[in-house]
Amino acid sequence: MGMTIAEKIFSAHCGREVRAGELVVSDVDFMMGQDGTSPLAIEAFREIGGDRVRDPSRVAMVIDHSSPSPVEGISNLHDMMRAFAEEQGLKLYDVGWGVCHCLLPEQGHVAPGDIVIGADSHTTTYGAINVFSTGVGSTDLAAAMLTGKLWFRVPHTLRLELGGRLAEGVYSKDVALYLAGQLTADGATYMAVEYAGEVIDSLSVEARFTISNMAVEIGAKAGLMRADDKTLEWIHGRVSRPFTPAEPDADADYQEIREFDLDGLTPQVAEPHRVDNVRAVEEVEGVPVREAVLGTCTNGRLEDLEVAARILTGRRVDPRVRMVLATASRQVLMNGMKSGVIQRLIEAGAVMVAPGCGPCVGTHNGVPADGDRVISSANRNFKGRMGNSSAFIYLASPATVAASAVAGKITDPRRMM
Amino acid sequence: MEGMVYRGKAHVFGDDINTDYIISGKHKFKTLDMKELACHCMEDIDPEFTVRVEPGDFIVAGINFGCGSSREQAPLVIKHAGVAAVLATSFARIFFRNAINKGLPVIECDTSGIRTGDELEVDLEAGKVTSLTRDDVTEVTPLPDVMMDILREGGLTDYLRKYGGFEL
């Protein structure tokens, strides 16, 4: 039998053929921590007796979850990260740079065929550019900073073949939500997912990130795609070191292959309080919303802003709705200023906060009131996720978020196209 | 963690208990003081949990316990709340790994027969859970050797202090 993308990547790193189910110790090509996880990693690093990070050029720390800091406790933890980064000579992305999962690919830290760990569950994002990237905890990050390695179980792979063509008004976020609804929150636990088929081929690299980002919402360890011409073009000019993409064999040994025909898929919405509680927008239309969030590592890239701006141009956000915009990175923000898309969003009534995670993780920048219903382009809608356990979060595409912000209620974006 | 046998009462939760429920983001970013954070353990789904739980008790859950974020604060607050181990039908993989790394035993077994208040005995080395209340024994899915070794050392930091690297 042939090999999956995950098996190919682990085999290349181990210098021998390894198969799903095997436990291996592997070099880690790049590793990352954010401000919710790095302080514990630094503490664990010291506890192990760590003195020097093995290879600081392979480590980045990102201040994005509470950025800029809303309270003194967090400010001091940020300073702990700054001091560690300076002492160890590793890259720190301080306040204003943006969300780790937008930054790592954007800044050229990760390349096809790499093994990457991040102390953040949405590290699966880089699977879209053929990186075996997975979320770990702080102590695993500390171990990898110290030794350059980590142990892994080579995962079995669930292959998802997505056929058909997405209709107008339907985006990769709708695909990710639909898959979460179909496969459920533990549909791919312990497994890598390989996404393939004409739907994936047709998507831009930015749109693909959205799907791999949400692989963890079905329990997956990684959300992998092959590197095609679009991937290589996207990588070109960002990554300067050599890399080797991993192509799955035609006769790869999959745990399971599932086919979905996405012709006729309509915009999708995840209702509170579960990401897999998904319905077609037609069934949810009319639910009043008081807050709309555009941004996050799922949908805070330039393309997402453009989709929302196309709906908002010439329209106004309903005066009863706070529309919060948080671009996924400074680069996205600057590109959006240059293209004018930021201007259009602000003119329509959006309020912009610093590039980062705040509105999504409930640390600051848009905590809803009791009973508020929120439409968000983020990836999680758990009770309390945005900082108030008496609020209700609905997840949708940037288009559905924009249309709902205008109407003041959940609205099918195709009505405004 | 000699012998790795634990005895305590069960506190039963449902399926898909995510790490936001275990410790909310609004608390966890502010401090590294786990004793303080432990006061908020399970707050959003069971505000009385930290009042009821006694040292040595167990959290018992259904499928996919610990899904969601990678926050290591989740197993840490459970441990600091006094919980001896978590038993679930299945675990989300990052939580599972984090728990072992922090020396919190996680036991994958059929939990469908366990009710809140049941008296349990968990024997990790022997791989079995005995319900003293219901007088039955459940087999535990065995851990890979590397995870048992990490657990025997009380967590990954002590393991690495001893071994210097990973031994499979």
Side-chain angles (χ1 to χ4, degrees), chain A residues 225-283:
Chain A
M225 300 182 191
R226 57 182 290 268
D228 63 4
D229 291 344
K230 284 184 195 171
T231 319
L232 298 176
E233 195 184 317
W234 197 89
I235 295 289
H236 184 76
R238 295 178 198 266
V239 177
S240 46
R241 62 188 160 89
F243 59 87
T244 313
E247 189 78 21
D249 290 326
D251 63 341
D253 189 6
Y254 293 106
Q255 172 97 359
E256 196 185 351
I257 299 175
R258 293 196 54 181
E259 292 177 23
F260 293 93
D261 179 2
L262 301 182
D263 264 341
L265 182 74
T266 58
Q268 305 283 300
V269 177
E271 292 193 290
H273 297 289
R274 299 176 54 108
V275 183
D276 59 3
N277 188 16
V278 175
R279 288 175 202 282
V281 70
E282 299 94 307
E283 297 173 49

Side-chain angles (χ1 to χ4, degrees), chain B residues 35-156:
Chain B
K35 275 215 171 71
E36 187 188 323
L37 285 183
C39 305
H40 302 289
C41 184
M42 299 292 186
E43 181 179 81
D44 281 343
I45 50 167
D46 184 358
E48 300 297 308
F49 174 72
T50 54
V51 181
R52 283 198 323 273
V53 70
E54 284 173 29
D57 282 357
F58 303 110
I59 284 177
V60 176
I63 59 168
N64 205 25
F65 185 87
C67 60
S69 97
S70 68
R71 61 192 68 170
E72 211 161 79
Q73 289 90 341
L76 281 170
V77 297
I78 290 175
K79 208 174 153 180
H80 280 84
V83 172
V86 181
L87 289 71
T89 309
S90 67
F91 289 89
R93 54 160 289 282
I94 307 177
F95 177 86
F96 191 71
R97 210 171 150 125
N98 285 347
I100 301 282
N101 283 346
K102 286 301 173 196
L104 173 71
V106 275
I107 291 124
E108 195 177 87
C109 63
D110 178 6
T111 58
S112 56
I114 303 173
R115 298 289 173 266
T116 291
D118 284 3
E119 198 74 37
L120 306 176
E121 185 182 274
V122 172
D123 186 336
L124 223 54
E125 296 281 4
K128 61 180 189 182
V129 174
T130 307
S131 170
L132 305 172
T133 306
R134 291 167 205 283
D135 194 27
D136 65 12
V137 179
T138 309
E139 297 291 314
V140 169
T141 311
L143 287 173
D145 289 344
V146 62
M147 291 190 123
M148 275 305 275
D149 289 343
I150 293 170
L151 208 46
R152 277 190 199 103
E153 297 306 322
L156 184 58

Side-chain angles (χ1 to χ4, degrees), chain A residues 4 6-7 10 19-21 132 153-157 190-192 221:
Chain A
T4 63
E7 288 172 326
F10 276 105
R19 291 292 187 157
F132 187 93
R153 174 151 68 177
V154 180
H156 290 90
T157 295
Y190 292 117
M191 283 192 273
K221 188 165 176 171

Side-chain angles (χ1 to χ4, degrees), chain A residues 23 36 47-48 74 77 119-120 134 136-140 143 150-151 185-186 274 363 380 382-383 385 389, chain B residues 16 18 20-21 29 32 44 64 68-70 72-73 91 93-94 97-98 101-102 156 160-161 166 168:
Chain A
L23 299 188
E47 269 173 37
I48 300 165
I74 295 177
L77 293 174
D120 188 279
T134 193
V136 298
S138 300
T139 307
D140 273 332
L150 202 59
W151 75 272
D186 77 334
R274 299 176 54 108
T363 46
R380 288 201 175 122
F382 303 149
K383 194 176 174 187
R385 173 75 180 179
S389 52
Chain B
D16 300 308
N18 63 63
D20 273 86
Y21 292 166
F29 293 100
L32 294 182
D44 281 343
N64 205 25
S69 97
S70 68
E72 211 161 79
Q73 289 90 341
F91 289 89
R93 54 160 289 282
I94 307 177
R97 210 171 150 125
N98 285 347
N101 283 346
K102 286 301 173 196
L156 184 58
L160 284 175
R161 258 208 305 261
F166 296 105
L168 294 184

